Amino acid sequence: MKKLPLHWKIVIGMVLGILFGIVVSNFSWGREFVSDWIAPFGTIFIRLLKLIAIPLIFTSLVKGISDLKEISKFRNIGVRTIILYISTTVIAIVVGFLLVNTLKPGVGISQETIDLLTATYAGDASITSNIEKAEQQDSGPLTFLIDLVPENIFIAFGNNSLMLQVIFFSIIFGISMLLIDPGSAQPVAKLITGLNEIVLKMVDLFMQIAPFAVFALLAQIVVSSDNIEILQRLLFYGATVVLGLILILCFYLLVVYFYTGKSPRWFIQGIAPAQLLAFSTSSSAATLPVTMERVTDHLGVDNEVSSFVLPVGATVNMDGTSLYQAVAAVFIAQALHFPLDFLDQLTIILTALLASIGAAAVPGAGMIMLVIVLESIGFPADKLAIGLALIFAIDRPLDMCRTVINITGDAMVSVVVAKSLGKLHPTNQILNPKSQT
Ligand code: ASP
C-alpha cells in the first residue's frame, strides 16, 4: 500500500466512499450516521486545504515575482496567461453551445418532468438564495476592477472569497521588491522563500490523509443525493455537459501534446491527484494548494510561472463552468420554450465568459452566475426559479465534473506558458521536489 501512487490511493478512497454511501443509504440510520460521524472528516480536510490557500498564494506569488529579477518578464507571463485564459474559455463556451444546439436535450423533456422538478425544487431555499446572491452581484461594468483592490489587506487575507485582492496585493508587493535596493529586499526574500517551503510541506502533510478524506466526502455526497428517478430524467442534459467537458479535456491534451511534445499520459499522471480532489471537493480554491504542488513538482513548471498562473486561474479561468453555463442556459430556454435569436446566443457567449470569470472557486458558484446569464437574455424573472429547478437535482455531480476541467485548464495553461518561456523543466530533473507524493 505504501508504494501505491497517491492518485490510486485517492481513487480507492473514492470508490470505497461511494460503495459505503450506497450501502448505508439502505438503512434508516444511514444518512444521519454519515453526516454525524463520517462527513466531518471530509469537512476538516477541505478546511485544512483552504487554511493554506491564502498563505500559499501570498508566499509563492511574491517569491515567483521577486525571483524574476526584471519586471518585463512578469509582463510576458501575465499577457500570455490572460490571452490563453480568455481564448480557452471562449472555446469551451462555443463547444457547449454547439453541443446543446445539436443534441437539444431540453426539447425532448416532457411537461410532466418539468412539473415534477418545479414542484420539488422551485421553492427550495438554495434556489431562492442563488437568485438573491446573483442579484447582489449585478452592478456597474467596472465594479470588478474596484473589487480587485483591497481597502485593508488584513480583511482580504481574512476572507477566502477575496482571493483576487490577495493576488493583487501580492503582485504589487513582489514588484516593489524588484524595484528596491536588492540588499534591502534580500532578507524579506529569504523569509518568504522559507515560508513558501513550509506551506508546501503542509500541503504534503495534508495530502497524506486525502484518501480517507475523499472517502468521507463521497460517502456524504451519495447519502445526500436525490433519488435516482429524478436524476434519470436529467440524464440527457447531464450527458451533454459531460460530453462537452470530455471534449475540452481532449483539447487540452492535444494542445499539450502538440505544443510541448509531452504525452497525454504524462500530463494526466502529473495532475491526477489534483483532479481527483477537485472532483471530491467541487472547489478549485480548496484544490489550489494541490494543483500548485503537482504542476510545479510533477509537471516541471517553474515556480515563477505557476505561482502567478495557477492562483489567478483558480479564480478567473473556469472553462468547465463556462461550458456548463452555456449548455444550462440553452437547455432551460429549450425546455421552457423561450426562443433564442442570434443576438441572444451571442449574449450568452459574452455573459458566460464574464460569469465564469466572476464565479467564486467554490461549490455551486457556477449556478449562481447562471442566473446572470439567464437575466442577460431577458429570461422572465418569474420563471427563473423554475429554470433553476430544472437543473438543480443534477447540479452537484456536474459541479464535481466541471471543477475537474477548471483546474485542468489552469494546469494546461501553466504548462504552455512555461514552455513558451523556456521554463518547463524536464520532470526527472526538477530541482528540490518538495513532495514525496
Ligand atoms: N465549483 C466550481 C469551482 O470551484 C465553480 C462552479 O462551477 O460552480 O471551480
Side-chain angles (χ1 to χ4, degrees):
M1 184 76 180
K2 207 147 179 60
K3 285 268 161 334
L4 205 60
L6 179 67
H7 55 271
W8 285 119
K9 290 187 193 165
I10 299 179
V11 170
I12 293 172
M14 288 167 84
V15 173
L16 292 179
I18 293 173
L19 293 178
F20 183 77
I22 295 174
V23 171
V24 297
S25 297
N26 293 313
F27 299 96
S28 56
W29 46 265
R31 203 174 173 141
E32 206 181 315
F33 175 76
V34 172
S35 329
D36 288 349
W37 297 102
I38 306 284
F41 295 101
T43 311
I44 290 173
F45 180 66
I46 294 186
R47 281 190 174 212
L48 287 173
L49 290 177
K50 285 188 175 167
L51 166 77
I52 45 174
I54 297 268
L56 181 63
I57 291 175
F58 177 70
T59 55
S60 60
L61 207 46
V62 172
K63 175 171 158 35
I65 295 175
S66 55
D67 279 352
L68 286 174
K69 308 280 182 276
E70 287 160 37
I71 294 183
S72 63
K73 286 196 192 161
F74 177 64
R75 204 178 42 228
N76 272 343
I77 297 176
V79 171
R80 279 160 215 238
T81 306
I82 302 300
I83 292 177
L84 283 170
Y85 277 165
I86 294 181
S87 347
T88 51
T89 304
V90 172
I91 291 172
I93 299 172
V94 171
V95 168
F97 229 68
L98 293 176
L99 280 178
V100 71
N101 278 310
T102 319
L103 302 175
K104 298 193 174 35
V107 173
I109 201 155
S110 69
Q111 189 57 42
E112 184 222 338
T113 301
I114 296 179
D115 293 342
L116 172 75
L117 293 169
T118 309
T120 321
Y121 300 111
D124 194 289
S126 11
I127 290 199
T128 342
S129 94
N130 274 354
I131 297 177
E132 276 163 19
K133 280 188 203 151
E135 253 126 47
Q136 284 160 15
Q137 307 240 3
D138 230 355
S139 38
L142 293 186
T143 314
F144 78 98
L145 275 185
I146 301 177
D147 289 345
L148 210 60
V149 184
E151 263 186 311
N152 179 322
I153 195 53
F154 294 102
I155 294 179
F157 270 75
N159 185 343
N160 275 344
S161 67
L162 296 178
M163 259 179 205
L164 279 180
Q165 297 193 350
V166 175
I167 292 173
F168 178 86
F169 176 76
S170 312
I171 291 175
I172 305 284
F173 193 97
I175 290 179
S176 305
M177 271 174 75
L178 282 180
L179 294 175
I180 62 171
D181 163 44
S184 316
Q186 210 224 359
V188 182
K190 256 188 140 169
L191 175 70
I192 300 268
T193 304
L195 286 174
N196 187 239
E197 273 183 33
I198 293 169
V199 179
L200 284 169
K201 183 42 97 188
M202 289 167 85
V203 180
D204 228 19
L205 294 177
F206 297 161
M207 283 307 282
Q208 305 301 320
I209 56 166
F212 304 100
V214 295
F215 172 88
L217 289 166
L218 277 254
Q220 164 72 359
I221 289 170
V222 170
V223 296
S224 51
S225 64
D226 286 277
N227 75 45
I228 272 297
E229 204 241 337
I230 286 199
L231 293 181
Q232 271 168 358
R233 290 178 187 245
L234 293 169
L235 216 57
F236 194 18
Y237 154 70
T240 310
V241 176
V242 172
L243 177 63
L245 297 176
I246 293 173
L247 290 177
I248 295 299
L249 180 65
C250 296
F251 164 70
Y252 293 158
L253 295 176
L254 285 176
V255 172
V256 170
Y257 178 69
F258 284 110
Y259 192 68
T260 67
K262 303 280 191 185
S263 72
R265 193 193 151 106
W266 167 87
F267 182 72
I268 293 289
Q269 258 183 0
I271 195 68
Q275 290 177 317
L276 295 170
L277 275 193
F279 185 79
S280 313
T281 61
S282 290
S283 169
S284 308
T287 313
L288 179 65
V290 183
T291 316
M292 290 184 77
E293 190 253 353
R294 297 303 299 186
V295 166
T296 315
D297 289 353
H298 297 262
L299 294 179
V301 172
D302 198 289
N303 182 52
E304 284 175 8
V305 174
S306 60
S307 66
F308 173 76
V309 179
L310 293 173
V312 172
T315 30
V316 311
N317 182 51
M318 297 192 179
D319 298 346
T321 300
S322 60
L323 179 139
Y324 146 85
Q325 281 167 340
V327 175
V330 178
F331 167 77
I332 291 172
Q334 287 170 348
L336 299 181
H337 311 290
F338 182 80
L340 295 174
D341 58 24
F342 181 67
L343 195 68
D344 290 334
Q345 312 244 1
L346 269 186
T347 311
I348 293 182
I349 297 187
L350 192 69
T351 40
L353 171 67
L354 298 176
S356 70
I357 293 175
V362 295
M367 196 171 179
I368 300 176
M369 301 308 272
L370 178 64
V371 176
I372 295 177
V373 178
L374 288 171
E375 281 175 342
S376 74
I377 48 169
F379 197 79
D382 57 325
K383 279 195 175 168
L384 271 179
I386 302 178
L388 295 191
L390 292 188
I391 56 166
F392 189 71
I394 204 173
D395 202 62
R396 179 67 192 215
L398 292 184
D399 194 2
M400 296 159 78
C401 300
R402 63 190 189 241
T403 308
V404 172
I405 296 301
N406 290 347
I407 66 111
T408 310
D410 302 340
M412 182 278 281
V413 169
S414 315
V415 169
V416 170
V417 172
K419 174 77 183 174
S420 74
L421 296 167
K423 294 279 174 191
L424 186 63
H425 306 299
T427 12
N428 51 359
Q429 281 176 27
I430 300 168
L431 301 171
N432 277 334
K434 282 149 205 111
S435 114
Q436 285 88 51
T437 49

